[in-house]
Amino acid sequence: MKAGIVGLPNVGKSTLFNCLSNAKAQSANFPFCTIEPNIGVVNVPDPRLDKLAELVSPEKVIPATVEIVDIAGLVKGASKGEGLGNQFLANIRETDAILHVLRCFDDDNIVHVDGSVDPLRDKETIDIELQLKDLETVEKKLEKVTRAARTGNKEAVKEKGLLDELKTALEAAQNVRSIEFKETDREEFIRPLQLITDKPVLYVCNVDEQAAKAGNEYVEQVKAAIAAEQAGPGLLVLAVSIEADINELDSFEERQLFLEDLGLEEAGAAKLIRSAYNLLNQQTYFTAGEKEVRAWTVSIGATAPQAAGVIHTDFEKGFIRAEVIGYADYVAFGSEAKVKEAGKMRVEGKEYIVQDGDVMHFRFNV
């Protein structure tokens, strides 16, 4: 699964990407220093994995991951190809969720592409460019569907009605994710269009050190602006400059001391990775054995065979049953053997819906 970091030039995207992935994307103080999207595979911090590893003492520990893409900055007119517009919009379309970085700090040494700090204007700039690109997609589809609807095709008539509604909303500067549709209609007609403003979004307010804990006036403005969006996008306050400093420290102890001095409980980057994971509607199940303890990513609502298929497609095809231990039970009893003795291991079939934190072992036949 991919989450794309977007924002206007010089809002802190590449610095944030570097913190998340420890890959050093060129982070220069001028627009468009990120032209090719930088891609990093980032581990999802999960204390449950550490605890299971402590109990099992495996040869390997493998965390769940999210792919983070640092996408080139854009300016007004990107939908018409201004700046790096066309490239930006093609790259963002390939992601599953959007991390939208907004500059919420004052600093005369860092130029702003529009000459002043105004996160609401910046948000609107990007929203409008993405809405215009979506409008273009909808209008192209509408041309085809309208022709089919004229023949009296019922399905085409229904689709045309939904596309007309989409077009009106986008022309009124509404994001697709905030438009109410029946879930069946969204799945059948809206999702296949891969509209950019239908993707889930997390707003990342990049603040200075003083505002890292409690935010500031800019953050409050952003909170008020996004409260009206029906899909309820998330918001995270992050001091990217602090994250960069934390990244330079070598040991875990040094990082913790640095955070304590600032009155912070954990690095913002860890919170952001977890937020991106949740934004992508993902959850974790574990496999635990002597060779490896591993976190696997599966969509919320996935069945046991689908979870098995994440390991290997043969596991899903030949699925017989799953042996399941709840994470809390595994920790309480301390080992798989003791969980079995206590009768707390469950045997589940094809209909079982995987729960976040399940420790699973699959039986299958190929």
Side-chain angles (χ1 to χ4, degrees), residues 52-53 55-62 287-294 330 335-337 361:
L52 288 172
L55 293 170
V56 179
S57 301
E59 290 170 28
K60 282 191 294 185
V61 179
I62 303 173
T287 50
E290 285 177 13
K291 284 197 172 176
E292 69 174 35
V293 167
R294 182 165 183 165
Y330 203 110
S335 74
E336 186 177 316
H361 182 70

Side-chain angles (χ1 to χ4, degrees), residues 277-353:
Y277 195 66
N278 295 334
L279 192 65
L280 292 162
N281 206 33
Q282 300 298 291
Q283 63 181 359
T284 302
Y285 77 87
F286 302 99
T287 50
E290 285 177 13
K291 284 197 172 176
E292 69 174 35
V293 167
R294 182 165 183 165
W296 299 88
T297 301
V298 67
S299 295
I300 292 170
T303 60
Q306 287 169 333
V310 172
I311 299 175
H312 197 287
T313 50
D314 286 351
F315 282 30
E316 183 171 2
K317 286 175 193 163
F319 180 89
I320 299 170
R321 66 181 183 272
E323 293 165 0
V324 183
I325 302 170
Y327 170 76
D329 286 336
Y330 203 110
V331 172
F333 291 97
S335 74
E336 186 177 316
K338 286 180 181 169
V339 171
K340 283 180 181 174
E341 276 173 34
K344 291 286 185 180
M345 187 172 85
R346 308 188 309 278
V347 175
E348 302 286 1
K350 290 182 178 180
E351 304 302 313
Y352 178 68
I353 302 297

Side-chain angles (χ1 to χ4, degrees), residues 18 31 42 71 112 166 205 216 223 254 271 281 284 320-321 352 358:
N18 290 339
V42 182
I71 297 170
H112 189 291
L166 266 182
C205 292
N216 57 24
K223 278 183 185 172
E254 282 180 306
K271 281 186 198 167
N281 206 33
T284 302
I320 299 170
R321 66 181 183 272
Y352 178 68
D358 278 349

Side-chain angles (χ1 to χ4, degrees), residues 258-275:
F258 185 80
L259 287 166
E260 280 169 26
D261 286 346
L262 294 166
L264 301 170
E265 287 176 22
E266 67 171 340
K271 281 186 198 167
L272 179 59
I273 295 162
R274 278 202 303 276
S275 299

Side-chain angles (χ1 to χ4, degrees), residues 73-320:
L74 87 166
V75 289
K76 276 180 194 164
S79 56
K80 302 284 181 277
E82 289 291 320
L84 297 166
N86 289 328
Q87 213 168 345
F88 169 93
L89 293 157
N91 292 332
I92 197 174
R93 191 160 269 145
E94 290 166 15
T95 64
D96 302 295
I98 298 168
L99 307 175
H100 186 162
V101 183
L102 294 166
R103 177 172 168 174
C104 294
F105 67 90
D106 295 304
D107 186 339
D108 293 340
N109 295 319
I110 299 176
V111 296
H112 189 291
V113 71
D114 287 328
S116 63
V117 176
D118 183 344
L120 296 189
R121 178 199 58 212
D122 295 354
K123 175 187 177 297
E124 191 177 79
T125 297
I126 287 194
D127 280 352
I128 287 170
E129 294 308 325
L130 302 184
Q131 288 157 5
L132 287 169
K133 204 67 190 169
D134 281 349
L135 186 59
E136 200 179 291
T137 305
V138 169
E139 284 173 340
K140 277 181 189 168
K141 182 72 175 174
L142 200 50
E143 276 178 37
K144 288 181 189 172
V145 172
T146 302
R147 285 197 292 272
R150 284 195 194 112
T151 67
N153 180 309
K154 282 184 183 175
E155 196 77 351
V157 169
K158 183 180 180 181
E159 188 172 3
K160 183 183 181 303
L162 291 167
L163 290 169
D164 283 333
E165 196 179 329
L166 266 182
K167 183 172 182 287
T168 303
L170 285 164
E171 285 171 342
Q174 246 187 300
N175 290 317
V176 175
R177 76 182 77 85
S178 68
I179 307 167
E180 279 193 51
F181 289 109
K182 282 184 192 166
E183 195 51 39
T184 49
D185 289 343
R186 193 176 274 280
E187 283 299 323
E188 191 177 349
F189 300 109
I190 312 300
R191 292 261 153 78
L193 295 172
Q194 287 189 294
L195 299 171
I196 302 168
T197 66
D198 194 28
K199 295 178 191 291
V201 65
L202 175 73
Y203 291 102
V204 181
C205 292
N206 182 11
V207 299
D208 56 22
E209 191 177 308
Q210 288 70 37
K213 195 172 179 184
N216 57 24
E217 184 54 38
Y218 292 133
V219 173
E220 293 308 312
Q221 289 171 16
V222 176
K223 278 183 185 172
I226 67 171
E229 289 200 31
Q230 286 158 0
L235 180 141
L236 193 67
V237 177
L238 205 66
V240 173
S241 59
I242 290 178
E243 300 301 315
D245 290 340
I246 292 170
N247 222 32
E248 296 301 318
L249 300 173
D250 295 325
S251 72
F252 175 77
E253 288 74 17
E254 282 180 306
R255 292 178 183 198
Q256 286 305 109
L257 281 171
F258 185 80
L259 287 166
E260 280 169 26
D261 286 346
L262 294 166
L264 301 170
E265 287 176 22
E266 67 171 340
K271 281 186 198 167
L272 179 59
I273 295 162
R274 278 202 303 276
S275 299
Y277 195 66
N278 295 334
L279 192 65
L280 292 162
N281 206 33
Q282 300 298 291
Q283 63 181 359
T284 302
Y285 77 87
F286 302 99
T287 50
E290 285 177 13
K291 284 197 172 176
E292 69 174 35
V293 167
R294 182 165 183 165
W296 299 88
T297 301
V298 67
S299 295
I300 292 170
T303 60
Q306 287 169 333
V310 172
I311 299 175
H312 197 287
T313 50
D314 286 351
F315 282 30
E316 183 171 2
K317 286 175 193 163
F319 180 89
I320 299 170

